Amino acid sequence: DVVMTQSPLSLSVTPGQPASISCKPSQSLLHSDGKTYLYWFLQKPGQPPHLLIYEVSNRFSGVPDKFSGSGSGTDFTLKISRVEAEDVGVYFCMQSIQLPWTFGQGTEVEIK
Amino acid sequence: EVQLVESGGGLVQPGGSLRLSCAASGFTFSNYWMHWVRQAPGKGLVWVSRIKSDGSSTSYADSVKGRFTISRDNAKSTLYLQMNSLRAEDTAVYYCYGPELDYWGQGTLVTVSS
């Protein structure tokens, strides 16, 4: 199985400040079709997850541009340019290049 | 409006069975692969199973292989998860999930305990 290692596991951020979350898969997520199957989700308290970023750097429909994804190979990053109260929750990375799809442990973001 | 509504969760004894359902509406269910993802209380997300749009192909996590069966009825726009030989470690909220359009249900809680 592809192990997805996230860091940090928790983050306390002052409103308006940036935040960054790392995700390191145990193997490359680059498929022979040229796509990299790395996704970022946010799970707000009491809700199911919802997709923020697909294929490393593409914002999903309706996701504000304060969220950005980058990386390649086995090193990926989610950045929030200016954290707001509504961004509180747990952020997960996920890979779908091979079964079983696997998730990172989650990074809990709170507001200072 | 797209909706995925899970049902069938509850309290069951170890070794028992449950059948989860996920009723879909607001989109053409038969066009999409569907998955089950679970989340133990206070823990992370774990992929459980998936089924092709026409039901012809299924896959399972090793932890549930041989005990769980995923199926679908496209005429009823409903996804199922038959869970047998349940164990304490199967306790979780089970979400149905349509990844192609990021559709998630609200989840149904399964508790396996004596």
Side-chain angles (χ1 to χ4, degrees):
Chain A
D1 297 3
V2 179
V3 177
M4 306 290 282
T5 302
Q6 279 183 240
S7 62
L9 298 184
S10 65
L11 207 46
S12 183
V13 187
T14 300
Q17 292 301 301
S20 180
I21 301 170
S22 170
C23 180
K24 296 182 187 293
S26 58
Q27 61 191 73
S28 174
L29 303 184
L30 177 61
H31 194 275
S32 56
D33 64 6
K35 296 180 182 178
T36 299
Y37 290 90
L38 184 282
Y39 303 79
W40 289 98
F41 294 85
L42 166 59
Q43 185 174 30
K44 295 184 178 181
Q47 296 183 19
H50 66 271
L51 183 64
L52 296 173
I53 302 288
Y54 65 96
E55 294 168 17
V56 181
S57 60
N58 300 285
R59 275 186 299 277
F60 189 62
S61 174
V63 175
D65 60 9
K66 63 179 174 179
F67 292 99
S68 63
S70 62
S72 63
T74 58
D75 193 355
F76 300 94
T77 302
L78 174 71
K79 292 183 180 176
I80 312 171
S81 59
R82 294 171 308 280
V83 174
E84 301 172 75
E86 64 188 19
D87 303 326
V88 163
V90 182
Y91 291 77
F92 295 94
C93 58
M94 185 196 81
Q95 66 80 22
S96 65
I97 194 171
Q98 70 173 232
L99 292 176
W101 291 10
T102 48
F103 295 84
Q105 314 97 301
T107 296
E108 184 164 15
V109 172
E110 66 168 26
I111 298 294
K112 278 185 184 173
Chain B
E1 180 194 5
V2 170
Q3 277 198 311
L4 293 174
V5 180
E6 300 98 336
S7 60
L11 175 63
V12 62
Q13 293 189 337
S17 298
L18 278 178
R19 188 197 200 200
L20 306 184
S21 300
C22 171
S25 60
F27 66 105
T28 307
F29 178 76
S30 59
N31 286 353
Y32 297 99
W33 288 75
M34 292 297 296
H35 298 235
W36 289 98
V37 173
R38 70 185 181 184
Q39 187 170 35
K43 301 295 185 182
L45 300 164
V46 177
W47 178 84
V48 173
S49 181
R50 74 171 185 184
I51 185 167
K52 194 176 178 180
S53 54
D54 63 1
S56 62
S57 175
T58 60
S59 302
Y60 300 91
D62 285 347
S63 58
V64 307
K65 202 173 293 182
R67 300 187 299 122
F68 289 12
T69 303
I70 191 172
S71 62
R72 65 193 298 161
D73 184 336
N74 284 343
K76 294 182 178 179
S77 295
T78 302
L79 176 71
Y80 302 101
L81 187 67
Q82 177 67 44
M83 305 187 296
N84 299 330
S85 303
L86 283 161
R87 306 167 179 167
E89 55 265 35
D90 296 318
T91 294
V93 173
Y94 286 73
Y95 295 103
C96 62
Y97 171 44
E100 290 164 272
L101 295 174
D102 193 44
Y103 295 152
W104 292 81
Q106 286 301 310
T108 186
L109 176 62
V110 172
T111 303
V112 184
S113 174
S114 54

